[in-house]
Amino acid sequence: MTGRIRRGNLDLVLEPGETALEGLLRGGAAVPSSCRAGACQACMLRAVSGDPGPLAQQGLAPALREQGWFLSCMSRPTGELVIEEGPPPAIGASIAAVTEIGPAIVRVRLEPDEDLSYRPGQYVQLIQGDQVRAYSLASSPAEGRALELHVRVHRQGRMSRWLAAAEPGTRVGLRGPAGACFYTEGRPEQPLLLVGTGTGLAPLRGIVHDARRRGHTGPIALIHGARDAAGFYLVDELKGMVDGPGNFRYVRCAMSGEPSEELEIGDLTQVTLRLFPSLKGWRVFLCGSPDRVNALKKQCFLRGAGLKDISADAFLTAEMPPPVRARARGA
Amino acid sequence: MTSLYDELGGAVAIDAAVDIFYRKVMADELLAPFFDDVDMERQAAKQKAFLTMVTGGPAHYTGRDMRRAHAHLVAEGIGDAHFDAVVGHLAGTLKELGVTDDKIARVGALAESVRNDVLNRDPAV
Ligand code: HEM
């Protein structure tokens, strides 16, 4: 029997081989998705009734499975599947510490009420009152339950200013994780290029640590872009990693200033392509503002990186008015 | 006769072909403006549909669908030169993947059969 999905006003019969996600998108539903391979969980939805199929709940926490949550990109229902409209549930968390780690950048440590299963490089939605912002996780589950976010404090940023001033013990809500920008095992020798702007460094740093922890042997290069030399942070830690074991290269790129042995000056995309003219066979991670990330993605693809080997996470800072399709994003 | 799609190795091989084909199209000044989409995954999905179709795989498009999918592009000025360029990159892609010339000719013939539909022309012209 062919599958049929219903969600709100939508009611459609799936085509042979079509996933629930593909059907929903065909029907005009606005369902977020990213990896479309059952990894990132961005497309997670809840079944009110019906069976989403065996693959669709693989890897989900038992609690979520019990409630009917499933990954729509992996769901090929054979009967009728009724899907709930609305966002996934939130868990509670306490702010444990807020520390300044750079110019107008704070590190926020959170203690979630329950373990969050995530991959370094993914992001969470932080909920405070009626405000919701997405922040990349700079921590790793290997370091314990606590979560770490890097937050750029914007002069006009309601959430970021509130976070920077929050007392330990303050409660917030969390939703997630989401995002497909994370290290995947299977090709330990593959060279990795990570390029990010501003607090896009947080997920990239997490990915580098994760790759090494998982036994990555190939070369890893990290390029951090900022407006000027004052915009860099975690410099000593990253420089220390260059001297450590493994093949790690760290480049800082500022849009203006005096070039030096330590600092590249110029457009981030141009500098990246000059340093890495051929990316055939590389895995690429890009995090930062949408215009930078989109330009880099296209150029990395044209220089030989496979589309499936490019993971990009574009986010807006609170200072910019959010265009229609992009997520409002803090870090 | 099994389709070239199956001979190539089905969906997995088409995924590899999408990258090569898309890169060629983006590097072609004549075609790039039509394919330059910020959402590269969306564009790649369309090209996967294109490659699945012309290799005889499971893509269910009719001539009417082809007319509709390309009508706005015809309005923007695509014509035989664009069509020939697309077919050229298609052949180049298959060659890079080690497909033999006779099979490439078969794909070329399949593509040729929808020229009038893609360019929204009356078949008699
Ligand atoms: C061999 C001939 C061709 C075939 C079989 C073909 C087939 C297809 C198919 C199956 C799609 C996806 C339709 C959909 O599902 O929305 C598509 C989309 C598209 N085709 Fe073609 N195509 C051909 C020639 C061309 C040519 C000559 C151009 C010239 C620029 C072109 C430009 C495009 C573009 C830009 C799209 C995406 C449209 C969008 O963004 O919605 N195609 N084509």
Side-chain angles (χ1 to χ4, degrees):
Chain A
M1 182 185 162
T2 47
R4 173 175 175 179
I5 48 178
R6 290 176 42 191
R7 181 171 182 257
N9 293 328
L10 195 74
D11 181 353
L12 59 83
V13 175
L14 292 175
E15 287 173 1
E18 196 175 40
T19 63
L21 175 64
E22 288 162 344
L24 287 163
L25 295 176
R26 176 163 59 85
V31 179
S33 71
S34 198
C35 78
R36 301 198 181 190
C40 76
Q41 307 194 355
C43 68
M44 186 156 67
L45 297 173
R46 198 173 85 86
V48 182
S49 73
D51 181 4
L55 289 175
Q57 291 189 308
Q58 226 168 55
L60 295 186
L64 289 177
R65 279 209 299 263
E66 267 172 43
Q67 296 167 53
W69 292 94
F70 69 99
L71 304 178
S72 58
C73 74
M74 300 302 284
S75 169
R76 290 191 169 81
T78 50
E80 183 178 280
L81 184 68
V82 182
I83 301 166
E84 184 183 67
E85 270 186 305
I91 62 172
S94 299
I95 293 177
V98 180
T99 323
E100 194 167 326
I101 55 169
I105 296 171
V106 293
R107 177 171 56 211
V108 178
R109 277 178 73 83
L110 295 170
E111 287 288 346
D113 296 345
E114 42 190 288
D115 279 335
L116 193 72
S117 161
Y118 69 97
R119 300 292 301 267
Q122 288 191 296
Y123 61 87
V124 290
Q125 310 267 4
L126 203 70
I127 307 157
Q128 192 271 317
D130 61 350
Q131 298 279 304
V132 181
R133 290 280 186 287
Y135 291 102
S136 290
L137 291 158
S139 50
S140 159
E143 293 156 4
R145 175 186 276 193
L147 306 173
E148 203 179 292
L149 317 171
H150 295 175
V151 178
R152 161 147 279 146
V153 185
H154 295 284
R155 252 169 304 156
Q156 310 291 331
R158 265 170 77 178
M159 181 74 106
S160 63
R161 285 191 359 239
W162 180 85
L163 277 170
E167 292 293 325
T170 307
R171 301 286 295 168
V172 291
L174 282 180
R175 196 177 283 147
C181 206
F182 56 80
Y183 182 77
T184 42
E185 286 180 23
R187 295 185 61 188
E189 73 301 329
Q190 186 176 32
L192 308 183
L193 173 65
L194 305 94
V195 190
T197 57
T199 47
L201 182 64
L204 298 182
R205 167 184 169 272
I207 293 167
V208 171
H209 283 302
D210 194 37
R212 294 184 141 194
R213 197 160 26 235
R214 290 169 191 270
H216 193 83
T217 54
I220 302 177
L222 171 66
I223 307 181
H224 187 204
R227 204 163 302 164
D228 49 46
F232 299 108
Y233 68 103
L234 297 182
V235 174
D236 290 339
E237 179 197 315
L238 291 163
K239 282 203 313 206
M241 284 165 64
V242 177
D243 300 330
N247 184 347
F248 179 70
R249 182 170 174 195
Y250 166 52
V251 177
R252 275 169 290 159
C253 173
M255 276 155 71
S256 61
E258 281 298 307
S260 71
E261 215 176 295
E262 297 221 309
L263 194 64
E264 298 281 344
I265 303 294
D267 174 75
L268 182 62
T269 306
Q270 299 304 322
V271 168
T272 302
L273 297 180
R274 178 161 56 71
L275 297 176
F276 300 92
S278 169
L279 292 169
K280 195 170 160 60
W282 285 62
R283 176 122 170 69
V284 180
F285 298 91
L286 308 169
C287 292
S289 59
D291 52 341
R292 294 257 160 257
V293 164
N294 289 332
L296 276 161
K297 185 171 178 185
K298 182 170 151 190
Q299 291 304 326
C300 289
F301 174 68
L302 288 174
R303 296 297 179 107
L307 204 50
K308 289 210 163 63
D309 277 332
I310 306 176
S311 303
D313 193 2
F315 51 78
L316 300 167
T317 62
E319 272 176 348
M320 289 186 262
V324 189
R325 288 192 54 205
R327 288 179 277 129
R329 192 72 194 278
Chain B
M1 191 164 72
T2 62
S3 67
L4 178 63
Y5 178 84
D6 291 321
E7 283 174 40
L8 278 172
V12 176
I14 294 297
D15 278 338
V18 168
D19 264 10
I20 300 171
F21 178 74
Y22 191 6
R23 203 173 282 124
K24 285 186 190 298
V25 164
M26 290 296 283
D28 184 333
E29 281 175 26
L30 182 67
L31 299 176
F34 298 100
F35 291 90
D36 200 353
D37 190 332
V38 170
D39 189 343
M40 292 178 71
E41 275 73 23
R42 196 188 79 95
Q43 194 50 244
K46 301 254 169 178
Q47 301 194 13
K48 187 169 178 176
F50 161 75
L51 289 164
T52 302
M53 177 180 165
V54 292
T55 53
H60 312 282
Y61 290 104
T62 63
R64 270 257 288 305
D65 294 334
M66 285 298 95
R67 283 178 185 263
R68 209 177 300 125
H70 298 92
H72 66 291
L73 301 165
V74 172
E76 283 172 39
I78 68 160
D80 286 306
H82 300 85
F83 191 94
D84 294 340
V86 164
V87 174
H89 293 312
L90 173 64
T93 300
L94 296 173
K95 206 163 179 69
E96 260 179 58
L97 289 167
V99 176
T100 55
D101 287 344
D102 58 317
K103 286 177 186 157
I104 294 176
R106 249 165 69 198
V107 172
L110 217 161
E112 199 54 51
S113 71
V114 295
R115 182 187 289 258
N116 285 331
D117 287 327
V118 166
L119 298 178
N120 279 256
R121 282 198 298 232
D122 192 29
V125 175

